[in-house]
Amino acid sequence: MVERIRLFSQHVFFIVFMYGGRFGIHLGSALPCFSCPFVQGCAGHCYLMALQRTHVGFQTAFEVFFSSAFVHVLWPFALFLILFLPLSKLWCAWLCPFCLFQDWITLIRKRLHIREFSMSRQVRNRLKPVKYILLALLILIPLAIANLGLHPDWGLPFCQICPARPILPLFTGNVSNFHIDMTNSVTIGFTATAMILTGVFLAGIFFKERFFCVFCLLALMHLFKKLSPFRFEKNVHACTGCGNCEQMCPVDIADVHLEKGKNHMPGAVDVLTQDCLGCMNCVESCPVDNALVFKWFDFKIFSSSRQYMTRKWSSK
Amino acid sequence: MTPVSSRLDRLKTRTKNLVQTELETQTSLIRNHPDYSDSLDPFIKILQQTFFIEQFIEQSSKDIVFTPCIQAPLELFHAAGLQPFKLACGSFAVQNMAPLHLPALTCPMIRSISGLLEMNQTEGIPLVIPTTCDWVVKFSELAGLYEKTDIHFMELPHLREEERSAKRWHNEIQLFKTWLEKRTGQKIYSKNLLRSVKLYSRAFELHDRLIRLRRKQIVSGLQYALIMNAMPYQDIEIWMAAVETFVIGLQDTGIRKIPVFLSGSPIVFPNYKMLSLIENAGMAVTADDICTMERTLQGTVAYEDASEFALLKALAQRYHTACSCPTFADNHRRINAMVHTLKQYEIKGVIFHVLKGCHPYDMEASILEMRLKDQGIRFLKIETDYVKEDEQNIVTRLEAFNRTLRSIEQ
Amino acid sequence: MLLDLWKYLILICVPVIGSFGPFLVEARAADHTFWNKDMLHLEFAQMKKHPNGQVSQTFIVHRPENQTDKISVLFQENQRPEVYTVPLDQNTFSIFADKPSSIRLFVFTRAGQTHHVVHTDMVLFGKSRSLALRTLAKPSEAAVLKTLPHIFLVGSESYYWHQTGIPLTFSLKTQFHPLHPVRFHVADNHQIKPLAADTLNPLQFVYTPSHDKQLRQAGSTAVKHNTVFTCLAHDKKLYHLAYTFQLHRSRHAFENYTAGAIALAGGFLVFAGWVIKKRKTPWWKE
């Protein structure tokens, strides 16, 4: 049920984000999802682009940071926060067009009964800092262009290598991003990396559900989770440790399964982690009543139920 | 001098007669019970048959495989077209046939199983042993089964939450599947496995309905024990049909007793001593976490996709991570499930049943007692075996426990 | 007598020469030697983003020889009718924008009988709350724009990012018919090249800027400027008209799709192969 509602929401927002601009929808340049600016007629732009740009992002001279013009950098950020707050991580699994693209690929794999490859907890943990490294580069490279004379072709470094850039425009019939730009060594470097990465990610997404999300920078929005009324909580005393949540999680989050609270004291613990996409697969597959709860303030959006879980799997 | 074989035959015949008498006595007790209804007949019938394995095999449409514990996935047996036969025995009489060299403090269940295997012609029937407790690990050697049959050990990692254990167990499940394929000479395709998984999910949903009725005391502890004990000897679809018939015919007597949670060592037909004693003391077992009762069906298997790998991984996880067998080292979250059920259904007391010689449960009792008492839950540990001599003593303790629970309720 | 002969010669020759005058001018128009020393032209200098969000573009003005009038700088913004003027500071002036502004700029002056007009279009992406300073031109000044002959870039309002390798079409807007066939030249890095006239329309000239190695090496925002110019004669006046524009490197000319496909397939196959090799189970066999 919840899975179906989510799929419906994903498709609706896919259409809105990808084609909305053609119908006059403009949601700004600070969307917390991969509504790619390289898609012609999209309804809004992913915040990552604004973050790297001149004037509204970090490709800005140092002196601007200490002047009133800094407000132009803050504005998109404020808009990003305003959009993020009510929905928090639901942006990922319920709205993001690239997430839906990955889900389609996964659906094909599942239909073909091809198994995925498993990533161990150790690998997952090792990959966690990658997002922060990418974020640091995303800030430092534009800063270096604006202030240290780095070659301007390093501009929009993340967009240049992001696999969504060639892939998402395909849905508007645009294949123009599948090339290597021979203009100069910097463009060759970036476009070749982009093409190789796109190939790697296409294979990765095929063999591992939501493979891109492991590296997605927007997933770091969980850093602001405390500001959001949206909560994902686990009643640690209810959990029997069956591991269904980890098993069914598209990004294999172990933290929800292993969370035991402080000193084994009963109570609700926040388990919205960096990698969590808010897909609620874990809640759907949790066999203990109210062990996992998605909340909006104190209102329960969806909580685990043995009956729900049993019914879901027996009617499959 | 009488030849050994004829002496053994005489012992066999005598034991069979004793078992027959024991079964008849117990069955008539059950049949005369006010909770009994005719729709329970199929369950009793199959349980009686399990003592006479030769006849059981004759009547079974599938080849049988013995397994003493619940960690070998039932879905895999089903997908391979084999009938699991759970090696769990509650008969006291059958212990006559148990080998004499068994240690004095042998777990009564293991003693009975050894007797059962000795009493019947079981040579050549394959055996799958998940390495749970020490008794289970060693009994095949003690019972001299090595020479007699094909034994497949599934090495159960005793850590539930570690990824390395999960991987090892997943590997074990795959090897188990390969072993089953070798036995039957037929490959288990993922579509067959998926069908079995779905079937068992439906069975679990039915089981869940049954549990909810049990919590409301519409289904009694005894009825439930019969149904669940009979499950691992039957084709799952036949079992489901019988359960549905039973549920349809159910009537609410309106009688509500003090609910208790029963935990501890397995309770197996016909040894329903604990169940009837608890009932006689004025309480009703509305919940349990015993591996021959509520944990017989491990729960719904949630799988990521229908590939063989994913299905086996899901099965491995369900039969390992989700299992709360006391042989696990990191079993401390077992109490959560218990407390959750206690709170959800307002059950105030836990009765912990330990079979003498069942060390894992004995140890687990001490751990649970400390932690449950911290949460204000009454706990009563009862150590017993298959004999009837200690019944009066147990009833007295149970009655006192009942009074305590009543006083809390008031 | 001899003196009289000279007088007669002059009396005869002047009208003859006078009647040939336009041809002499034409001969001059075909010659581009007046470029640089004799012509008003513009140079794009620094474009700057200011801390308040405004964006400014500075121009350097190269004055013509023997300039007699002051240099006027007029511009219109976002295709609106208002005409603004900008004061010249020595040889430079700057235009500020507080919002995205499409600017149509004219710089003109006179040197004796020669009129110099330089025209350009550009877009400035200002984003500021403090309004950019604007001075409205006097109506008499503004009225000049309506009749000012100038070169214009066809379709320049809709596209501002001119790239090397992409043809640009230039045309002429005058209130008169030039007396001789019009010829356009382009000045690119001090190299002067004639432009070919459109076969269908002799007043339209097509220019395809060639790729520039320096632009390729510099960033995508790097620019160079080219000037298309011509010289017209009418009514004993000479008109030196120019259109200056900025050129970026080509965005798409060097895109190699085959190489892209190879890299894509390579990445896919290598990773897929690695995954298939890695995911073999069971991990341990009996």
Side-chain angles (χ1 to χ4, degrees):
Chain A
M1 174 72 176
V2 171
E3 196 181 356
R4 283 188 190 167
I5 299 172
R6 186 171 62 78
L7 271 173
F8 178 73
S9 152
Q10 278 183 306
H11 281 88
V12 168
F13 282 102
F14 185 86
I15 292 164
V16 169
F17 287 135
M18 297 286 288
Y19 310 106
R22 295 163 195 240
F23 306 102
I25 303 172
H26 294 290
L27 301 169
S29 302
L31 289 175
C33 72
F34 273 69
S35 178
C36 183
F38 294 92
V39 176
Q40 277 183 333
C42 65
H45 297 176
C46 160
Y47 178 54
L48 291 179
M49 188 189 219
L51 208 55
Q52 304 164 74
R53 278 179 54 188
T54 59
H55 202 59
V56 291
F58 282 96
Q59 197 176 322
T60 302
F62 283 135
E63 69 229 39
V64 173
F65 284 101
F66 304 105
S67 72
S68 61
F70 188 58
V71 76
H72 297 296
V73 181
L74 286 179
W75 256 118
F77 179 68
L79 182 62
F80 167 77
L81 267 190
I82 289 166
L83 289 167
F84 160 77
L85 289 181
L87 294 173
S88 188
K89 282 283 188 139
L90 291 190
W91 276 100
C92 294
W94 291 68
L95 284 88
C96 179
F98 200 57
C99 205
L100 180 65
F101 168 76
Q102 297 185 72
D103 285 0
W104 283 335
I105 302 264
T106 303
L107 199 72
I108 294 169
R109 176 179 62 76
K110 285 184 177 176
R111 283 278 157 91
L112 295 172
H113 291 200
I114 294 172
R115 57 159 285 207
E116 67 172 11
F117 81 91
S118 19
M119 284 163 89
S120 66
R121 284 180 198 165
Q122 194 187 22
V123 171
R124 290 266 180 201
N125 284 335
R126 279 189 189 162
L127 287 175
K128 270 184 189 173
V130 173
K131 289 191 190 106
Y132 291 97
I133 294 167
L134 285 173
L135 181 68
L137 288 174
L138 182 142
I139 292 170
L140 291 175
I141 293 173
L143 274 178
I145 298 170
N147 298 288
L148 304 174
L150 183 68
H151 195 285
D153 282 344
W154 282 75
L156 298 180
F158 185 78
C159 289
Q160 289 206 57
I161 57 164
C162 175
R165 177 181 162 172
I167 292 169
L168 285 182
L170 290 177
F171 295 95
T172 57
N174 177 2
V175 289
S176 66
N177 291 307
F178 286 91
H179 61 255
I180 291 181
D181 188 350
M182 302 292 188
T183 303
N184 59 42
S185 54
V186 182
T187 59
I188 292 173
F190 267 113
T191 46
T193 312
M195 280 302 97
I196 293 168
L197 279 184
T198 306
V200 166
F201 274 104
L202 280 174
I205 293 164
F206 184 78
F207 285 110
K208 180 80 198 126
E209 204 171 354
R210 311 249 171 89
F211 181 69
F212 177 77
C213 302
V214 180
F215 306 92
C216 174
L217 271 184
L218 279 175
L220 288 179
M221 61 182 155
H222 90 289
L223 293 171
F224 308 105
K225 67 176 178 179
K226 292 225 163 129
L227 303 173
S228 170
F230 182 85
R231 295 264 183 283
F232 175 30
E233 286 177 355
K234 171 179 174 175
N235 292 309
V236 281
H237 62 284
C239 174
T240 60
C242 77
N244 265 11
C245 47
E246 187 180 356
Q247 152 101 355
M248 292 309 291
C249 179
V251 282
D252 304 334
I253 294 171
D255 305 10
V256 179
H257 169 208
L258 300 176
E259 179 64 60
K260 287 162 191 162
K262 276 182 191 165
N263 307 322
H264 295 277
M265 289 299 283
V269 177
D270 178 41
V271 280
L272 190 75
T273 54
Q274 186 195 103
D275 288 324
C276 180
L277 309 168
C279 70
M280 304 191 184
N281 271 9
C282 50
V283 186
E284 279 198 286
S285 56
C286 177
V288 183
D289 293 337
N290 293 319
L292 295 176
V293 188
F294 273 97
K295 274 183 180 173
W296 210 79
F297 286 110
D298 274 342
F299 174 73
K300 274 185 193 174
I301 300 172
F302 183 39
S303 62
S304 58
S305 145
R306 180 183 170 105
Q307 208 167 338
Y308 176 95
M309 189 262 175
T310 319
R311 277 212 187 132
K312 180 184 165 171
W313 290 95
S314 60
S315 59
K316 263 214 166 189
Chain B
M1 251 182 87
T2 331
V4 178
S5 60
S6 68
R7 256 193 6 232
L8 203 64
D9 286 344
R10 276 214 307 281
L11 182 65
K12 251 187 205 177
T13 319
R14 199 157 61 93
T15 313
K16 274 187 180 171
N17 290 338
L18 281 171
V19 169
Q20 194 69 50
T21 319
E22 187 189 18
L23 289 178
E24 276 164 16
T25 320
Q26 288 298 326
T27 312
S28 67
L29 270 176
I30 293 167
R31 286 210 164 107
N32 292 330
H33 196 275
D35 289 340
Y36 190 79
S37 68
D38 290 343
S39 52
L40 287 170
D41 275 352
F43 304 108
I44 292 201
K45 202 177 151 204
I46 200 100
L47 285 169
Q48 283 176 328
Q49 283 173 1
T50 60
F51 287 87
F52 308 101
I53 297 171
E54 290 97 332
Q55 285 100 306
F56 184 93
I57 292 169
E58 272 170 32
Q59 285 173 15
S60 172
S61 56
K62 297 173 179 175
D63 288 345
I64 66 164
V65 180
F66 289 139
T67 180
C69 280
I70 54 170
Q71 281 81 6
L74 296 171
E75 287 87 344
L76 269 171
F77 288 105
H78 186 268
L82 293 168
Q83 177 60 54
F85 186 104
K86 186 155 180 186
L87 275 186
C89 187
S91 164
F92 178 62
V94 84
Q95 291 185 1
N96 273 336
M97 281 298 290
L100 295 173
H101 59 265
L102 286 181
L105 267 177
T106 303
C107 161
M109 169 98 93
I110 292 298
R111 199 178 279 278
S112 291
I113 292 171
S114 309
L116 183 74
L117 292 174
E118 203 66 32
M119 186 178 85
N120 290 285
Q121 178 59 40
T122 56
E123 234 170 84
I125 299 174
L127 179 59
V128 180
I129 304 179
T131 56
T132 51
C133 72
D134 292 350
W135 289 118
V136 169
V137 171
K138 297 300 287 181
F139 97 91
S140 58
E141 211 170 342
L142 280 168
L145 295 175
Y146 268 97
E147 299 81 29
K148 292 182 184 170
T149 187
D150 177 12
I151 302 175
H152 177 78
F153 280 100
M154 296 175 79
E155 197 187 351
L156 184 74
H158 288 278
L159 291 174
R160 293 203 301 161
E161 290 171 9
E162 295 299 322
E163 199 176 28
R164 61 181 194 275
S165 318
K167 197 171 174 182
R168 269 174 58 207
W169 182 243
H170 184 174
N171 203 79
E172 284 298 323
I173 296 282
Q174 285 210 325
L175 295 180
F176 174 50
K177 176 183 154 275
T178 316
W179 180 79
L180 285 174
E181 283 169 345
K182 259 188 216 162
R183 294 279 336 162
T184 57
Q186 279 180 332
K187 191 166 162 47
I188 300 174
Y189 291 103
S190 59
K191 63 176 185 195
N192 301 346
L193 192 53
L194 180 65
R195 203 165 52 228
S196 306
V197 166
K198 282 181 179 175
L199 192 59
Y200 273 85
S201 287
R202 287 220 305 280
F204 187 76
E205 199 207 354
L206 185 62
H207 172 245
D208 209 43
R209 266 164 63 200
L210 201 63
I211 282 184
R212 284 199 298 279
L213 291 168
R214 185 187 180 204
R215 303 277 193 263
K216 292 177 192 160
Q217 298 192 26
I218 297 169
V219 171
S220 74
L222 185 74
Q223 290 171 331
Y224 181 77
L226 277 172
I227 293 169
M228 292 320 287
N229 276 185
M231 206 275 300
Y233 303 100
Q234 264 178 305
D235 184 83
I236 191 70
E237 283 172 285
I238 297 172
W239 179 81
M240 281 161 72
V243 174
E244 265 168 17
T245 317
F246 167 75
V247 172
I248 290 164
L250 269 177
Q251 280 177 338
D252 188 359
T253 53
I255 303 165
R256 298 290 181 267
K257 295 177 178 173
I258 294 281
V260 286
F261 189 105
L262 185 61
S263 183
S265 306
I267 285 176
V268 191
F269 178 82
N271 174 34
Y272 291 156
K273 186 168 91 177
M274 277 305 292
L275 291 173
S276 53
L277 291 181
I278 291 169
E279 208 174 290
N280 291 346
M283 293 175 286
V285 181
T286 60
D288 69 74
D289 65 352
I290 292 170
C291 62
T292 53
M293 290 172 70
E294 278 196 19
R295 288 203 288 118
T296 309
L297 271 172
Q298 298 271 4
T300 316
V301 176
Y303 49 89
E304 276 185 291
D305 56 72
S307 66
E308 184 192 298
F309 174 86
L311 288 170
L312 290 181
K313 186 180 167 202
L315 281 175
Q317 179 258 330
R318 185 47 36 192
Y319 282 82
H320 178 244
T321 323
C323 181
S324 57
C325 177
T327 54
F328 288 119
D330 51 356
N331 205 27
H332 43 272
R333 281 206 268 193
R334 170 197 178 143
I335 195 170
N336 286 354
M338 201 183 254
V339 173
H340 191 70
T341 313
L342 292 171
K343 290 205 170 136
Q344 200 172 7
Y345 297 99
E346 295 180 338
I347 306 169
K348 300 277 188 287
V350 174
I351 297 172
F352 202 94
H353 163 237
V354 180
L355 285 174
K356 281 177 185 162
C358 181
H359 307 312
Y361 277 108
D362 209 355
M363 288 184 272
E364 192 95 329
S366 314
I367 300 164
L368 279 178
E369 186 172 7
M370 282 189 294
R371 294 180 60 193
L372 286 172
K373 280 190 173 168
D374 283 348
Q375 303 201 28
I377 293 158
R378 304 291 151 151
F379 185 89
L380 178 71
K381 174 181 160 187
I382 288 174
E383 197 170 353
T384 180
D385 53 19
Y386 290 179
V387 296
K388 294 192 177 297
E389 282 74 14
D390 57 354
E391 279 188 2
Q392 197 47 51
N393 180 18
I394 295 171
V395 168
T396 316
R397 291 179 64 200
L398 286 171
E399 279 170 349
F401 191 62
N402 186 12
R403 279 197 295 278
T404 319
L405 295 183
R406 264 181 211 286
S407 65
I408 301 168
E409 216 158 75
Q410 282 160 10
Chain C
M1 183 62 199
L2 199 67
L3 187 74
D4 284 343
L5 196 66
W6 273 109
K7 276 181 187 168
Y8 284 119
L9 196 64
I10 290 166
L11 277 172
I12 294 164
C13 282
V14 165
V16 171
I17 292 169
S19 66
F20 272 92
F23 297 103
L24 293 174
V25 170
E26 190 206 347
R28 197 174 173 200
D31 172 22
H32 50 254
T33 50
F34 60 87
W35 168 250
N36 248 356
K37 59 178 182 186
D38 196 14
M39 194 177 157
L40 172 75
H41 66 104
L42 270 183
E43 193 180 308
F44 279 83
Q46 193 191 13
M47 192 183 74
K48 199 176 169 191
K49 295 184 179 184
H50 297 272
N52 64 4
Q54 288 190 3
V55 174
S56 70
Q57 172 70 56
T58 304
F59 291 92
I60 300 167
V61 180
H62 293 267
R63 293 168 186 272
E65 278 179 354
N66 310 321
Q67 176 197 344
T68 48
D69 278 15
K70 79 173 181 83
I71 292 175
S72 304
V73 180
L74 299 179
F75 72 91
Q76 286 174 297
E77 189 179 17
N78 293 335
Q79 297 175 21
R80 293 178 60 82
E82 289 86 4
V83 178
Y84 302 101
T85 179
V86 184
L88 202 61
D89 174 19
Q90 303 266 332
N91 284 336
T92 62
F93 69 92
S94 299
I95 292 176
F96 287 78
D98 53 52
K99 56 181 181 292
S101 307
S102 162
I103 290 187
R104 192 163 168 248
L105 173 76
F106 293 92
V107 181
F108 53 93
T109 188
R110 198 164 62 90
Q113 287 300 303
T114 311
H115 290 262
H116 295 265
V117 181
V118 185
H119 173 213
T120 189
D121 298 288
M122 66 181 163
V123 177
L124 295 177
F125 290 94
K127 197 179 181 188
S128 171
R129 275 196 239 166
S130 52
L131 294 176
L133 195 68
R134 293 270 186 274
T135 316
L136 269 175
K138 288 176 199 156
S140 58
E141 260 186 319
V144 175
L145 280 197
K146 287 182 183 163
T147 55
L148 201 65
H150 61 269
I151 298 177
F152 68 95
L153 176 61
V154 178
S156 63
E157 293 88 0
S158 57
Y159 197 65
Y160 62 93
W161 194 276
H162 309 302
Q163 299 172 34
T164 56
I166 292 177
L168 300 165
T169 308
F170 294 92
S171 191
L172 197 62
K173 194 170 184 185
T174 53
Q175 299 287 319
F176 53 85
H177 290 287
L179 290 173
H180 50 83
V182 179
R183 290 180 190 177
F184 276 31
H185 282 78
V186 65
D188 177 10
N189 274 343
H190 302 292
Q191 282 188 325
I192 313 291
K193 283 177 267 181
L195 296 190
D198 194 301
T199 44
L200 295 173
N201 187 345
L203 276 183
Q204 286 201 343
F205 291 83
V206 180
Y207 170 46
T208 308
S210 56
H211 297 302
D212 184 302
K213 200 176 176 189
Q214 275 185 327
L215 271 187
R216 274 177 74 174
Q217 294 306 323
S220 59
T221 51
V223 283
K224 66 173 185 177
H225 67 268
N226 277 191
T227 303
V228 170
F229 61 91
T230 189
C231 184
L232 306 175
H234 174 71
D235 199 14
K236 294 184 183 171
K237 288 175 192 161
L238 273 178
Y239 292 92
H240 281 177
L241 310 181
Y243 184 88
T244 301
F245 59 98
Q246 285 184 311
L247 266 177
H248 296 83
R249 74 172 186 219
S250 174
R251 237 182 214 176
H252 303 294
F254 307 103
E255 287 171 357
N256 189 331
Y257 283 81
T258 316
I262 291 168
L264 181 85
F268 185 91
L269 292 175
V270 168
F271 195 70
W274 179 77
V275 164
I276 290 166
K277 185 172 174 279
K278 271 273 171 186
R279 64 176 195 159
K280 280 207 174 109
T281 52
W283 296 280
W284 309 280
K285 281 185 188 168
E286 274 175 332

